[in-house]
Amino acid sequence: MMHWMLRSRQAFAGGLLLAMAASPAFAAPQPPAPAPVAPQAAPTQETARRISGIEARQALAKGEAVLVDVRPKESYAASHAEGALSIPLSDLGSRAGELPKDKLVITYCT
């Protein structure tokens, strides 16, 4: 019986070693996984970057920006900057997908 227990312990010990050798702690080193990128919150009136009129005109002239009139549709219909899109502020969140992701989005309301 002692002989069987000895064999049993050896078998168990061997199984334990195999399990440990296959565990991640003993595996070959892997490069670290890239850190997840947290989605950026949409800018608010307080956090939105401000630019000068000159900088806005230059970005628009180079095709690096899009101009968005965020006033109500009636105000846009009465008068608006040349080339401006009309997306009222109340609709901006739901229509943000219409804006290009590769350009500066310049909003105005006066």
Side-chain angles (χ1 to χ4, degrees):
M1 175 135 179
M2 184 68 131
H3 189 279
W4 176 83
M5 287 178 72
L6 185 57
R7 283 185 183 237
S8 170
R9 286 187 195 145
Q10 287 175 345
F12 179 74
L16 183 62
L17 288 175
L18 289 175
M20 289 178 66
S23 73
F26 294 97
Q30 299 292 320
V37 177
Q40 288 185 323
T44 63
Q45 185 174 350
E46 292 78 28
T47 63
R49 180 177 144 219
R50 307 269 189 247
I51 62 172
S52 68
I54 293 171
E55 186 180 355
R57 281 190 283 284
Q58 289 173 344
L60 290 164
K62 293 178 183 176
E64 298 172 348
V66 61
L67 188 60
V68 180
D69 187 326
V70 295
R71 299 175 301 158
K73 290 182 188 238
E74 301 78 31
S75 297
Y76 177 86
S79 173
H80 59 272
E82 184 180 335
L85 302 174
S86 175
I87 303 180
L89 188 58
S90 60
D91 298 343
L92 195 55
S94 63
R95 295 182 57 193
E98 299 174 27
L99 299 170
K101 296 187 184 331
D102 60 342
K103 293 186 179 186
L104 178 65
V105 175
I106 302 171
T107 59
Y108 77 94
C109 60
T110 58

